[in-house]
Amino acid sequence: MTETKPGEPVAEPTAVGTPANVYDHSTPAATAETAVAAGDVEAQKDAPAPAAATSEYDDEAGKGIGIAMFVCIVVGFCLGWIPAIGPFITFVCLIAAIVLSSTITCGCCCGKGLNLNPKVKRWSTATLLCLVLQWVLALIGIIVGVSIAAAGGASSSVVTTTNSDGSVTWTTVSSDGTTSEAAVAVTFAVLIICQILYILAGVFAGIFTWGRKCCGNA
């Protein structure tokens, strides 16, 4: 045991395991790590954005044909109400719209080689179906109307009357009008259905032409 003499300074014990030349590097290390992280963030900001995935289909394909198809349908519907020439205009526009939609659906003529998305192409097919159904119903309506009218005319009878002076008078007695009313009802019903199909064809043609992206089909 060491004795301490009076008047001598007492030396403080040195901490064990902590040399005097060891320094705390925690703060500089943290600063360096922060600088590296900031550099990574700046590099990510300056890096070019990844290119958007390109579609395997052409989103603009067939738009010109679609516009022509839509115009034919609208013109035929609006001008079809003109007396005398209206039905003829509708007939011509209907045939033109059927031909245009067929080229897209069947991939022939000017619609050949179009790289269309099948989800977009189905709107052209729906337009074609509506137009063909309208055409078939119009023919059926005309045939049925003419047949009923002819049957009503055939059901009329001729009555021969001998007058007092010896002359003979022939009088045509028609049916009671039930046949004519049936013909009008059938014609009117077919006309309504045809107009609905015509409007649907115009809507489908518009979606095919301008509604590809908003309908999620592009």
Side-chain angles (χ1 to χ4, degrees):
M1 182 174 181
T2 305
E3 295 181 358
T4 304
K5 296 181 180 182
E8 293 182 358
V10 178
E12 295 182 357
T14 306
V16 179
T18 307
N21 60 347
V22 175
Y23 297 97
D24 186 9
H25 295 281
S26 58
T27 302
T31 304
E33 292 177 359
T34 304
V36 172
D40 293 340
V41 172
E42 293 296 331
Q44 291 178 1
K45 290 182 178 179
D46 297 336
T54 57
S55 175
E56 57 180 330
Y57 302 106
D58 186 3
D59 295 339
E60 300 296 323
K63 273 197 172 183
I65 303 176
I67 293 174
M69 179 172 57
F70 181 81
V71 169
C72 287
I73 294 174
V74 172
V75 170
F77 181 81
C78 295
L79 300 184
W81 303 99
I82 299 177
I85 64 172
F88 177 75
I89 296 175
T90 301
F91 175 79
V92 173
C93 292
L94 179 63
I95 295 299
I98 289 177
V99 171
L100 291 172
S101 58
S102 298
T103 59
I104 298 175
T105 302
C106 302
C108 58
C109 194
C110 55
K112 186 177 181 180
L114 294 178
N115 189 20
L116 275 173
N117 189 329
K119 294 181 179 180
V120 176
K121 190 176 182 180
R122 67 184 180 184
W123 294 111
S124 175
T125 304
T127 303
L128 177 62
L129 290 177
C130 288
L131 294 175
V132 171
L133 284 176
Q134 180 195 7
W135 171 253
V136 172
L137 284 177
L139 289 179
I140 292 176
I142 293 173
I143 294 173
V144 171
V146 171
S147 300
I148 294 177
S155 62
S156 60
S157 58
V158 178
V159 177
T160 303
T161 304
T162 303
N163 300 322
S164 58
D165 57 358
S167 61
V168 179
T169 303
W170 289 273
T171 306
T172 302
V173 180
S174 60
S175 58
D176 56 357
T178 304
T179 306
S180 300
E181 292 177 359
V184 172
V186 170
T187 305
F188 183 75
V190 171
L191 176 63
I192 294 299
I193 297 175
C194 287
Q195 295 305 316
I196 292 175
L197 289 174
Y198 214 160
I199 294 173
L200 288 177
V203 172
F204 294 152
I207 294 176
F208 170 80
T209 306
W210 297 288
R212 302 179 179 186
K213 294 184 179 180
C214 66
C215 293
N217 299 323

